[in-house]
Amino acid sequence: MLYVIGDTHGCLEPLTALLKREGLIDEGGAWSAGDSTLWFLGDFTDRGPDGVGVLDLVMRLEAEAAQAGGKLGALLGNHDVFLLAAKLFGPQLVPSFKRMGKSVTFEYLWRQVGGTEGDLPRLTERHVEWLRRRPALALEGDNLLMHADTLAYLDIGESLEEVNATVEGILRSDDLRAWDKLSERLSTRMSFLNGGEDPTQEALYVLGGSRLIHGHTPIYGLIGYPPQLVTMALEYNDGLCINVDHCLWNGGPGFVYTLEG
């Protein structure tokens, strides 16, 4: 089986409850999904109370899944980039704001997008290195997995492999302009909803897969329901796009999107 979970945003307790409810972990919190595959689509931190706790959980389950013959994969989200930038370049000025004559630091920007104060001092080099190794995109069978519903990935590279290599290169550099641009690109959204099937087909043609699965844009804001009533993925563009952002941080019960392996 293939399971996909959208943005978790520091919501450790709701995430743990969701994983138990779906049988992916046992009552003690250990991996119980056997040889199944589980993907998280990024944005592990910010907004919720315990982003570092979410990272610790996912990192532990990644190892446990491998030991059980399964797989846990995890993509990089834009909020994960903001947190890394705050940790690595905190007091330095963000170049795009500097050009506008504004003195905005990376740490201040992280707080403005929902950074949780308790996360920054608890983020260790182990967490930093793990986040640096997260791919921006992944192919699982015919499914193209991405965090953000944006064509901006195509501005980063001309193939899935090139996008991932470029992003990791930026995350291992001290090029502030590149970090700034990366966070900007990964924060854009709704390329496929607003553009319809044409940009969707373009992304699939360049990056691979026959449909794409993303998070980043909360479903409740698109359908006009409160987050508490969002219990399933949003399918659009004739099934080419699947949105799995359940908005745990705003009170959604969460769900796991499930596909036959």
Side-chain angles (χ1 to χ4, degrees), residues 13 16-17 19 22 41 44 56 83 100 110 115 124 156 163 187 192 202 205 209 214 217 219-220 250 259:
E13 290 186 8
T16 302
L19 293 171
E22 297 294 329
L41 299 191
F44 300 98
D56 286 335
L83 175 63
M100 296 185 290
W110 165 72
T124 67
I156 299 173
V163 171
S187 296
F192 313 118
E202 180 183 0
Y205 177 77
H214 68 82
T217 299
I219 293 169
Y220 84 95
N250 204 15
L259 294 155

Side-chain angles (χ1 to χ4, degrees), residues 13 30 36 42-43 45 57 66 72 91 96-97 107 110 122 140 152 170 204 206 216 218 225 255:
E13 290 186 8
S36 295
D43 275 7
T45 64
L57 172 64
L72 186 151
S96 58
F97 286 92
E107 187 170 345
W110 165 72
R122 295 166 56 212
E140 195 65 52
I170 293 170
L204 293 170
V206 174
H216 188 53
Y225 289 7
F255 60 83

Side-chain angles (χ1 to χ4, degrees), residues 69-142:
K71 173 184 174 181
L72 186 151
L75 297 184
L76 181 78
N78 61 307
H79 282 266
D80 308 316
V81 176
F82 283 122
L83 175 63
L84 282 173
K87 180 71 173 181
L88 298 172
F89 311 113
Q92 299 187 59
L93 297 180
V94 180
S96 58
F97 286 92
K98 190 176 180 180
R99 289 194 299 272
M100 296 185 290
K102 299 179 181 179
S103 298
V104 175
T105 67
F106 280 96
E107 187 170 345
Y108 177 82
L109 181 59
W110 165 72
R111 289 196 178 97
Q112 290 300 108
V113 299
T116 302
E117 288 296 328
D119 281 343
L120 203 57
R122 295 166 56 212
L123 196 73
T124 67
E125 183 55 39
R126 175 172 161 268
H127 299 120
V128 169
E129 178 58 27
W130 187 82
L131 286 170
R132 277 173 163 156
R133 289 187 285 107
R134 294 311 94 205
L137 302 165
L139 268 177
E140 195 65 52
D142 289 332

